[in-house]
């Protein structure tokens, strides 16, 4: 009898900065749950992985507004989010947290492997700085007008309306999300992932895919036509995964670096809980395993370009996604 087909399914890790809502459920979780149940009925070997995303500027902003430490905030919303999934009867094989030590260790190892392979560079570049709060403004600490679609509440890393992947310096009329002040441009030293190193392999991989949603393929193809370039993967923050280098005090890894690694660390947790600590390799390092990411359209560049590049840059033969069904937003009003 042939071995059952292995399928590894993930849903985008919800930010632990607030409760999830109807749009979240219909976008990345209910479709995945249906997919998982369907393939289990067919007899496939399916593992469904998720967890809360607990780092990044969105967390620190929410904690600051609530007057609590980030750890207190993520503890609260991890429980609320998991309870919502339980009440919706969406069942994960493992629901983890990116703030757990295992994910910190794995993220740091990913960073060091990419650095050793020459895919990370150290650069001093211009960044926005809040003169009132006396702090550098990483991605979501900056709000402004999207230079692509004109949306006035775009963030320093992406536009929630058109999905454009942005740099904070591109925003028109930028303002600090902390103080509301107009930011200054100052220099800061950070580490950058050289995405251009991976463009030929990523293009060959994507263009060999069939059955992908048009919105996903069009979005990624537009990125390829523009040309991939270095992307900053560290931030001037005190909450997150510490950059594992002696000269990196006050620096943490960008949330979109450590968050998708949370899929892997969550799968490792699942394997350890089963008493089979190496079983995760039968999925992530198995070329016959099918990896499927369910998410919203704003996650497309990270799951179709950044995370695959990070996987390609590792010494282990990690699999790349077989499909990335990204849904458009379900807008009310």
């Amino acid at each position: 009898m042939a071995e059952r087909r292995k399928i590894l399914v993930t849903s985008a890790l919800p930010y632990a900065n607030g409760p999830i809502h109807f749009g979240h459920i219909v976008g990345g979780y209910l479709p995945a749950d249906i997919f998982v149940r369907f393939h289990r009925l067919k007899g496939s070997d399916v593992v469904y992985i998720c967890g809360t995303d607990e780092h990044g500027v969105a967390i620190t902003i929410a904690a600051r507004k609530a007057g609590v430490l980030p750890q207190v905030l993520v503890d609260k919303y991890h429980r609320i989010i998991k309870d919502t999934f339980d009440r919706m009867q969406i069942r994960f094989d493992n629901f983890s947290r990116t703030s757990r030590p295992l994910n910190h260790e794995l993220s740091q190892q990913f960073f060091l492997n990419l650095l050793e392979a020459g895919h990370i560079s150290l650069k001093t570049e211009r960044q926005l700085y809040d003169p009132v709060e006396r702090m550098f403004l990483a991605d979501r600490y900056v709000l402004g007008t999207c230079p692509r679609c004109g949306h006035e509440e775009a963030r320093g890393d992406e536009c929630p309306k058109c999905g454009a992947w942005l740099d904070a310096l591109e925003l028109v009329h930028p303002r600090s999300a902390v103080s509301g002040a107009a930011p200054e441009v100052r220099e800061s030293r950070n580490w950058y992932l050289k995405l251009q190193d991976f463009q030929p392999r990523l293009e060959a991989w994507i263009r060999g895919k069939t059955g992908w949603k048009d919105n996903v393929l069009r979005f990624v193809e537009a990125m390829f036509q523009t040309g991939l370039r270095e992307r900053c993967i560290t931030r001037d923050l005190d909450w997150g995964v510490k950059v594992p280098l002696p000269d990196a005090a006050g620096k943490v890894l960008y949330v979109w670096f450590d968050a998708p690694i949370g899929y892997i660390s969550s799968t490792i947790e699942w394997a350890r809980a089963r008493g089979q600590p190496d079983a995760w390799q039968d999925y992530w390092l198995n070329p016959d395993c099918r990896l499927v990411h369910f998410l919203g359209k704003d996650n497309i560049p990270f799951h179709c370009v950044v995370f695959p590049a990070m996987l390609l840059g590792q010494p282990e033969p990690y699999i790349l996604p077989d499909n990335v069904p990204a849904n458009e937003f379900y807008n009310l009003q």
Side-chain angles (χ1 to χ4, degrees):
M1 180 180 295
E3 183 179 357
R4 293 188 300 159
R5 177 75 186 272
K6 293 185 183 298
I7 305 175
L8 180 62
V9 178
T10 75
S11 284
L13 307 183
Y15 270 126
N17 67 330
I20 56 175
H21 54 65
F22 179 74
H24 291 125
I25 295 295
V26 300
Y29 306 100
L30 184 59
D33 187 70
I34 294 170
F35 180 87
V36 167
R37 291 171 189 258
F38 171 75
H39 280 283
R40 282 183 175 151
L41 286 172
K42 291 178 61 178
S44 297
D45 175 3
V46 185
V47 175
Y48 185 19
I49 294 297
C50 196
T52 43
D53 182 358
E54 302 188 354
H55 296 135
V57 176
I59 301 296
T60 58
I61 289 177
R64 190 184 187 104
K65 289 180 179 178
V68 299
L69 295 174
Q71 188 66 61
V72 174
L73 185 90
V74 296
D75 288 347
K76 171 185 175 180
Y77 284 114
H78 174 81
R79 291 191 299 269
I80 291 174
I81 291 169
K82 183 59 169 63
D83 178 66
T84 301
F85 286 134
D86 289 344
R87 287 187 287 114
M88 292 293 296
Q89 298 185 45
I90 293 175
R91 307 297 186 203
F92 305 104
D93 288 290
N94 195 68
F95 191 77
S96 188
R97 309 176 63 173
T98 59
S99 63
R100 287 178 176 164
L102 174 59
N103 193 59
H104 279 235
E105 295 165 8
L106 191 59
S107 298
Q108 290 173 333
Q109 190 58 58
F110 260 63
F111 176 89
L112 292 173
N113 289 342
L114 289 163
L115 183 67
E116 183 177 357
H119 298 306
I120 290 178
S121 63
L122 176 61
K123 299 170 63 177
T124 297
E125 294 232 347
R126 298 186 308 155
Q127 284 196 354
L128 296 180
Y129 182 87
D130 186 328
V132 175
E133 294 292 332
R134 299 182 181 180
M135 60 184 290
F136 281 100
L137 299 171
D139 41 83
R140 296 195 182 189
Y141 272 126
V142 188
L143 300 173
T145 301
C146 175
R148 310 284 197 277
C149 72
H151 179 58
E152 295 182 353
E153 294 297 320
R155 301 186 293 257
D157 57 351
E158 64 183 355
C159 174
K161 183 176 181 180
C162 71
W165 193 20
L166 302 173
D167 184 288
L169 290 169
E170 295 181 85
L171 291 176
V172 180
H173 307 304
R175 65 187 185 279
S176 168
V178 183
S179 69
E184 300 174 354
V185 177
R186 297 190 181 184
E187 290 189 340
S188 179
R189 190 182 66 157
N190 279 288
W191 284 262
Y192 288 70
L193 176 61
K194 295 190 280 187
L195 291 173
Q196 66 271 24
D197 290 357
F198 303 97
Q199 180 160 343
R201 282 186 285 173
L202 290 172
E203 286 193 75
W205 162 63
I206 286 286
R207 289 172 179 166
K209 294 297 180 183
T210 58
W212 281 42
K213 298 179 73 171
D214 287 342
N215 66 322
V216 177
L217 292 176
R218 287 197 302 268
F219 195 106
V220 178
E221 185 60 36
M223 294 181 67
F224 289 152
Q225 289 179 0
T226 302
L228 301 184
R229 61 184 189 275
E230 293 179 320
R231 187 76 180 184
C232 184
I233 55 169
T234 59
R235 294 291 187 267
D236 296 276
L237 292 172
D238 56 5
W239 173 252
V241 179
K242 305 298 182 186
V243 175
L245 296 173
D247 59 343
K251 305 285 185 179
V252 299
L253 296 177
Y254 176 37
V255 62
W256 267 112
F257 187 92
D258 80 88
I261 296 172
Y263 298 136
I264 304 173
S265 61
S266 185
T267 313
I268 295 173
E269 285 183 0
W270 164 82
R272 290 177 178 177
R274 289 165 52 92
Q276 300 173 302
D278 295 329
W280 70 274
Q281 298 179 25
D282 296 335
Y283 298 86
W284 282 103
L285 305 181
N286 180 358
D288 294 323
C289 178
R290 182 183 179 192
L291 173 61
V292 184
H293 293 308
F294 284 85
L295 42 94
K297 69 175 183 181
D298 53 328
N299 294 165
I300 291 173
F302 305 104
H303 288 75
C304 294
V305 174
V306 180
F307 187 42
M310 291 163 54
L311 294 172
L312 288 171
Q314 299 304 306
E316 298 85 2
Y318 283 99
I319 59 172
L320 299 184
D322 181 72
N323 205 332
V324 183
N327 289 311
E328 296 295 305
F329 294 155
Y330 189 93
N331 293 319
L332 301 179
Q333 300 174 0

